[in-house]
Amino acid sequence: MLNIITKKLAHHLPSEHELLEHKVVDGNDFHAILEIYQQEKSEKVTIFDATYDPKLKSEEIIPIRDHINKTGKNILIPLRKKLEGEFFDVSNLYKNNKDGIVTTCYGETLHINTPYPSHHLCHFSVLARAMNIEHIQGYLYNTNKHSR
């Protein structure tokens, strides 16, 4: 099982936090994400990204059911030549419980007027599916800090 936390989330965690035991990867570095998936060759991946919602408890972990990509980027386009296949079915991407939430990925800056905003979770998840990883879990960690 491969466990990843986004660099944006790592930035908010205290140095001794247990999530920092996982691989920290920049969600904007598409080639680094691809390299980790190629090296690890895992059948399962769990991805943690940061969110900010003052209505949630600080440090609450929220399971993801689906995502909306509003980062303005599609991770598959720059990596197209390195991937096998042209079309990747990303429906039912996450294997979390059906009670999970839908997050909107915004990239570098969270839009706090949206419920459950995230940074780059969608990049990791879509590429995982393109790499034939069938068991993908996503979680948001509420930092209670607005990330700019």
Side-chain angles (χ1 to χ4, degrees):
M1 164 94 97
L2 173 60
N3 295 305
I4 296 173
I5 67 169
T6 64
K7 188 175 178 181
K8 284 291 200 178
L9 174 56
H11 175 73
H12 290 290
L13 298 174
S15 61
E16 70 283 351
H17 197 281
E18 64 188 21
L19 284 177
L20 290 172
E21 295 174 5
H22 304 316
K23 292 198 180 285
V24 177
V25 185
D26 184 344
N28 275 324
D29 190 342
F30 296 168
H31 293 282
I33 300 168
L34 177 63
E35 188 175 307
I36 284 177
Y37 289 153
Q38 288 173 330
Q39 287 174 354
E40 296 291 327
K41 296 182 175 132
S42 182
E43 294 179 11
K44 297 179 180 179
V45 65
T46 301
I47 306 142
F48 294 88
D49 199 358
T51 192
Y52 168 76
D53 189 332
K55 292 175 263 170
L56 297 173
K57 289 185 234 170
S58 181
E59 302 179 4
E60 184 172 348
I61 295 177
I62 306 108
I64 302 299
R65 174 174 38 99
D66 202 357
H67 73 252
I68 300 166
N69 183 355
K70 290 194 176 184
T71 64
K73 298 177 183 177
N74 179 340
I75 191 168
L76 300 178
I77 292 173
L79 300 176
R80 178 176 30 219
K81 292 179 182 174
K82 296 182 179 189
L83 300 172
E84 295 177 20
E86 289 292 317
F87 176 77
F88 303 98
D89 181 9
V90 293
S91 60
N92 300 313
L93 193 59
Y94 299 95
K95 299 297 181 195
N96 294 12
N97 67 42
K98 294 184 180 155
D99 295 328
I101 58 90
V102 176
T103 183
T104 303
C105 299
Y106 287 105
E108 290 301 307
T109 304
L110 295 180
H111 292 239
I112 59 172
N113 295 332
T114 303
Y116 310 108
S118 58
H119 291 283
H120 301 107
L121 181 85
C122 58
H123 295 163
F124 290 92
S125 302
V126 168
L127 185 57
R129 178 57 51 84
M131 298 294 297
N132 295 314
I133 299 172
E134 291 297 320
H135 191 87
I136 303 165
Q137 292 183 311
Y139 294 93
L140 296 182
Y141 179 95
N142 190 35
T143 64
N144 264 352
K145 296 175 187 168
H146 184 211
S147 187
R148 292 187 184 256

